[in-house]
Amino acid sequence: MTTRAHEILWDDVTDTGARRMVTGVPAEWVDWFRPVAGRILDVAVRRTQEMRDREHRDRVRRRRHQQRAAEH
């Protein structure tokens, strides 16, 4: 994931959704949760990208296998 894409996603989560989620929550809880949420988001983004990469590699392998089978 590009740095810019990460910034856009993080801004969307922190600026929009977080404000609604933390309304009425004590500030010290929010201060504690912010870095935790960032780490959770980073892991989720990384895992999603790994899954997409794996699916792409599998599609490419299947396509190559089908092409080889058609050539023989």
Side-chain angles (χ1 to χ4, degrees), residues 27-59:
E28 60 272 4
W29 292 11
V30 174
D31 291 342
W32 173 85
F33 185 69
R34 186 176 293 128
V36 172
R39 288 192 296 270
I40 292 169
L41 177 61
D42 287 342
V43 168
V45 168
R46 191 173 32 236
R47 294 292 186 253
T48 300
Q49 188 60 52
E50 288 170 358
M51 183 179 62
R52 287 181 178 171
D53 291 346
R54 191 174 327 114
E55 290 172 353
H56 175 73
R57 282 191 306 269
D58 290 346
R59 279 194 307 273

Side-chain angles (χ1 to χ4, degrees), residues 6-21:
H6 184 269
E7 289 171 1
I8 291 168
L9 182 58
W10 180 244
D11 287 346
D12 187 45
V13 169
T14 56
D15 291 344
T16 306
R19 277 195 213 114
R20 280 186 243 129
M21 290 187 308

